[in-house]
């Protein structure tokens, strides 16, 4: 199941007045990556769930998840 399917109707906790579009994009991307990593634990499965390449998943995990195995 893709995490993208879970976004509809989810409260991201973002206040539109506190973020630019780029800032909001980064926060949503960070939440998706962290949630996917917590759930799947591997770059392969994170990539599959987020529909990105495994190298992109690794880069995003490295960027947002500070406690890599």
């Amino acid at each position: 199941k893709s995490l993208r399917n879970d976004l509809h109707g989810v409260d991201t906790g973002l206040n539109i007045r506190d973020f630019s579009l780029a800032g909001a994009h980064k926060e949503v991307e960070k939440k998706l990556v962290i949630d996917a990593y917590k759930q799947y634990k591997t770059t392969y499965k994170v990539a599959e769930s987020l529909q990105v390449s495994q190298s992109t998943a690794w880069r995003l995990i490295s960027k947002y998840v500070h406690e890599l195995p």
Side-chain angles (χ1 to χ4, degrees):
K1 180 179 175 183
S2 172
L3 286 175
R4 288 180 181 195
N5 295 335
D6 295 336
L7 279 181
H8 183 70
V10 172
D11 179 13
T12 62
L14 300 177
N15 184 335
I16 197 164
R17 289 175 279 221
D18 296 335
F19 286 96
S20 64
L21 182 58
H25 176 267
K26 182 178 177 179
E27 288 301 311
V28 170
E29 179 180 78
K30 180 179 179 179
K31 179 170 178 22
L32 286 172
V33 171
I34 290 171
D35 289 351
Y37 185 73
K38 284 179 181 177
Q39 182 173 350
Y40 299 112
K41 305 286 191 233
T42 68
T43 59
Y44 177 81
K45 288 189 178 192
V46 169
E48 184 177 58
S49 74
L50 297 177
Q51 300 174 3
V52 298
S53 69
Q54 190 172 4
S55 61
T56 297
W58 172 251
R59 180 183 56 79
L60 292 169
I61 291 166
S62 297
K63 182 176 180 179
Y64 296 121
V65 181
H66 302 290
E67 295 180 10
L68 292 175

